[in-house]
Amino acid sequence: MLPAAALTLLVGMTSCTKDLDVTPIDPNLDTTVNYDGLFNKCYGNFGLQGNGGANGDCDIDDLDGGTTGLIRQMWNSNELTTDEALCSWGDDGIQQFDYNTYDSSHPMMNGYFARLTTGISYCNHYLEMAGDSDAQKAAEIRFVRALEYYLLMDAFGGVPFSTTLGTPTYMTRKEIYDWLVQEVTEIEPALADAKAKTSGDAMYGRADKAAAWMLLMRLYLNAEVYTGTAQWAKAAEYAKKVIDSSYKLNTTGANGWSAYQMLFMGDNGESSAAQECIWPVLCDGKQTTSWGVTLFLMASTWDADMDATANDPGGLNGTSEKWAGNRARINLVRKFFPNDDAPQVQSYDMKDYAGDDRALFFGTGHTLDNPLGYFGDFKDGYGVAKFINYKSTGSVVKGSDSQFPDADFFFFRVAEAYLSYAEAITRQSGANVTGAEATQYINALRQRANNSDLRTAYSLNELLDEWCREFYFEGRRRVDLIRFGKFGGDSDYVWVWKGGAKNGRNFSADKNVFAIPAKQLKGAIQQNPGY
């Protein structure tokens, strides 16, 4: 049996060997490793807390499984800290997210850091044991590891680094960036060809060349933030590779569900929506249950008064879970209703008032503003009804389980390539407004949403608003605000309760990266400035 300490980066939380597919044998004999099980474990770190489902053991010692869910903490750190979301739960750390007062003692960031470093260790273990057995699988696990390093670097800046089970070294954000570009470029030829697929296809849920292009696109789009040097041409190049592939925007609705809504439904892996998903985190109401992926996105944003469809009163979001936590800041709703005239209506009616299918807000009985901030209740702000477990095969068809959803989380989707390409070529040109080609891609998303306001050009600030309209509550807003200079530092943009003030106030640019959690400051690991 491998010692537990050998399975993690030294700065990560210890992972028990029982969580890996390792068969303990007499120490004088060989140890047999289930390579396929370990391969699946590397992917599973994105969606599962451990091997036992939602109520089983957690891979991260001394931390709650649901709370340490990778997608859940990526969402918390990138949404609650921005102009999109507020939460009033009493969980330690929520108020600090809401008001941008997080520091090295933040428990959720400790869990996020530990989840990422533990996942990296699983990948290192697979590559050490089975890296020479299958070239494509090895490339996929190198991609998974790279994606976790990207998330770690984006959130925390300089981080511990190792590609083996040995002692990690400290690498700066630029050094990690440079390694990531080289690593993903190197593995791309060994990945499967870019091909749109559904859950019935063998490669669904696994990374192909398009996933590598998406990660390179993100790196290059944010290169100026990470390294000080912009890479707009490279960002546009990889975005165009995705756009020209067999992956396409979903423009087809079904049974009263809009094409946009179908991206976030219980059968998004089976319907036409799947053609837009370049890499999903898999969820299944029977087989891969979790408190930290799409159930979190549904349950945390709903209460018992909300319904996804008028055809099923009392049906909620298609699950039995209604945690009444995360809701919209007024600044998010203003992206669709700039005059603060969003009506107090059901979410399925709101899009008609907004003239945009993406306006999936619930206003009945809610205040539009957030007068009490963290200390308000769930109705202190409009509800967000984006993620649901209904299926597009009918108007009231639900998922396979009454509690846990079948909806996959679309980590990468084609719409991101559209907006990345539009932004990159605009910035590369040195202009402050989009040209004809960039405008075409923005308008394609607005057309998909049945928005009739199709313009001939968009300013960069309007492009940032379009990022919000298309991707709100998908766990990326903080990254976009930082790239546009609208997050920490001397910004011209504030939102309600930014920095803990009702009318918003700026906070230090140091908070553009999170503090290295105090429990992870070991060996050569350095704390970020300002903490």
Side-chain angles (χ1 to χ4, degrees):
M1 179 185 291
L2 292 171
L7 301 181
T8 62
L9 295 172
L10 294 185
V11 296
M13 305 296 286
T14 301
S15 170
C16 300
T17 52
K18 67 180 179 181
D19 293 328
L20 300 177
D21 290 73
V22 179
T23 303
I25 308 177
D26 186 291
N28 296 316
L29 303 176
D30 290 335
T31 298
T32 301
V33 177
N34 180 336
Y35 292 161
D36 288 339
L38 185 52
F39 177 83
N40 292 336
K41 184 71 176 179
C42 294
Y43 272 107
N45 190 58
F46 276 82
L48 303 174
Q49 65 185 43
N51 286 353
N55 297 314
D57 292 339
C58 176
D59 288 349
I60 312 299
D61 287 349
D62 302 320
L63 291 173
D64 174 74
T67 301
T68 64
L70 193 157
I71 300 303
R72 182 169 179 166
Q73 290 311 330
M74 181 187 77
W75 192 96
N76 281 337
S77 62
N78 287 330
E79 294 291 348
L80 294 180
T81 58
T82 75
D83 58 344
E84 291 189 353
L86 268 173
C87 188
S88 296
W89 288 341
D91 304 38
D92 191 11
I94 291 292
Q95 183 178 353
Q96 288 74 29
F97 273 146
D98 282 346
Y99 291 169
N100 311 102
T101 58
Y102 37 83
D103 58 23
S104 63
S105 66
H106 198 281
M108 293 186 182
M109 295 313 297
N110 180 53
Y112 188 35
F113 192 103
R115 175 63 65 181
L116 289 169
T117 52
T118 298
I120 289 166
S121 293
Y122 293 150
C123 295
N124 286 343
H125 183 49
Y126 175 86
L127 293 167
E128 182 172 293
M129 301 297 294
D132 295 330
S133 64
D134 186 306
Q136 181 182 314
K137 285 187 174 181
E140 289 181 47
I141 297 307
R142 288 171 68 182
F143 167 82
V144 171
R145 180 179 64 182
L147 184 55
E148 288 170 328
Y149 265 125
Y150 159 74
L151 294 171
L152 196 67
M153 176 269 291
D154 176 77
F156 299 102
V159 295
F161 178 84
S162 179
T163 57
T164 71
L165 294 177
T167 302
T169 59
Y170 175 80
M171 288 181 65
T172 66
R173 180 181 251 188
K174 184 181 185 305
E175 288 171 334
I176 293 285
Y177 171 91
D178 290 340
W179 176 83
L180 282 167
V181 168
Q182 179 179 344
E183 176 78 351
V184 181
T185 302
E186 185 177 303
I187 65 176
E188 184 259 342
L191 294 169
D193 290 339
K195 182 181 179 181
K197 53 191 76 72
T198 67
S199 63
D201 296 316
M203 279 292 295
Y204 183 78
R206 292 171 59 180
D208 63 15
K209 286 181 171 64
W213 299 338
M214 290 293 288
L215 181 50
L216 286 167
M217 179 193 76
R218 277 199 188 182
L219 286 164
Y220 287 129
L221 191 68
N222 294 286
E224 192 168 23
V225 173
Y226 300 146
T227 72
T229 302
Q231 296 285 355
W232 306 121
K234 283 287 190 179
E237 174 188 344
Y238 282 95
K240 197 64 164 63
K241 283 178 177 285
V242 173
I243 292 169
D244 291 341
S245 74
S246 69
Y247 292 98
K248 302 297 177 187
L249 285 184
N250 178 45
T251 57
T252 305
N255 294 307
W257 304 106
S258 71
Y260 183 77
Q261 177 73 86
M262 286 175 64
L263 300 170
F264 314 102
M265 294 181 67
D267 61 346
N268 56 357
E270 294 77 57
S271 72
S272 60
Q275 70 183 337
E276 185 166 335
C277 179
I278 292 162
W279 184 65
V281 176
L282 304 182
C283 296
D284 181 276
K286 300 294 187 183
Q287 302 298 321
T288 54
T289 60
S290 170
W291 301 108
V293 193
T294 50
L295 179 63
F296 167 74
L297 296 173
M298 293 175 195
S300 72
T301 56
W302 289 73
D303 71 1
D305 295 330
M306 298 170 63
D307 283 318
T309 171
N311 298 315
D312 191 23
L316 304 174
N317 51 30
T319 80
S320 60
E321 298 296 306
K322 45 189 185 304
W323 304 345
N326 298 311
R327 74 275 190 196
R329 298 195 198 221
I330 188 174
N331 308 84
L332 168 57
V333 183
R334 281 174 177 161
K335 298 300 185 287
F336 297 89
F337 295 94
N339 298 318
D340 288 349
D341 55 352
Q344 291 184 309
V345 298
Q346 299 273 351
S347 58
Y348 46 79
D349 290 328
M350 189 70 73
K351 64 182 186 298
D352 296 327
Y353 290 91
D356 193 307
D357 290 345
R358 299 171 295 186
L360 297 168
F361 304 118
F362 182 89
T364 304
H366 288 238
T367 63
L368 176 60
D369 197 3
N370 315 104
L372 300 177
Y374 169 76
F375 295 99
D377 62 19
F378 183 66
K379 298 186 185 301
D380 181 56
Y382 274 25
V384 174
K386 187 169 183 173
F387 295 89
I388 60 177
N389 199 39
Y390 284 88
K391 295 190 175 186
S392 62
T393 51
S395 61
V396 294
V397 180
K398 299 180 183 179
S400 62
D401 186 81
S402 63
Q403 182 178 34
F404 293 100
D406 297 325
D408 297 330
F409 177 75
F410 285 4
F411 196 99
F412 290 130
R413 57 186 182 90
V414 171
E416 182 179 346
Y418 274 45
L419 288 176
S420 295
Y421 185 75
E423 181 183 337
I425 62 174
T426 301
R427 291 188 184 276
Q428 185 185 5
S429 73
N432 291 318
V433 296
T434 57
E437 187 180 17
T439 301
Q440 167 193 340
Y441 286 105
I442 299 170
N443 281 340
L445 298 179
R446 295 168 75 87
Q447 284 180 303
R448 188 259 291 276
N450 289 307
N451 187 322
S452 61
D453 182 16
L454 305 179
R455 306 180 189 179
T456 57
Y458 297 86
S459 69
L460 284 176
N461 281 339
E462 288 171 332
L463 177 54
L464 176 59
D465 287 347
E466 200 63 30
W467 273 111
C468 177
R469 279 186 282 269
E470 182 66 27
F471 283 99
Y472 69 92
F473 271 49
E474 292 185 51
R476 62 166 296 135
R477 182 59 170 172
R478 169 188 151 272
V479 181
D480 295 327
L481 288 173
I482 290 172
R483 187 173 67 255
F484 278 79
K486 307 292 187 182
F487 194 69
D490 187 16
S491 170
D492 63 356
Y493 181 54
V494 295
W495 53 84
V496 63
W497 297 110
K498 179 182 182 182
K502 171 59 173 70
N503 295 323
R505 62 186 173 197
N506 286 329
F507 49 83
S508 171
D510 292 334
K511 291 193 178 295
N512 283 348
V513 293
F514 295 103
I516 303 293
K519 292 183 179 180
Q520 313 294 346
L521 282 172
K522 303 174 183 178
I525 310 307
Q526 303 172 24
Q527 186 54 274
N528 289 318
Y531 294 104

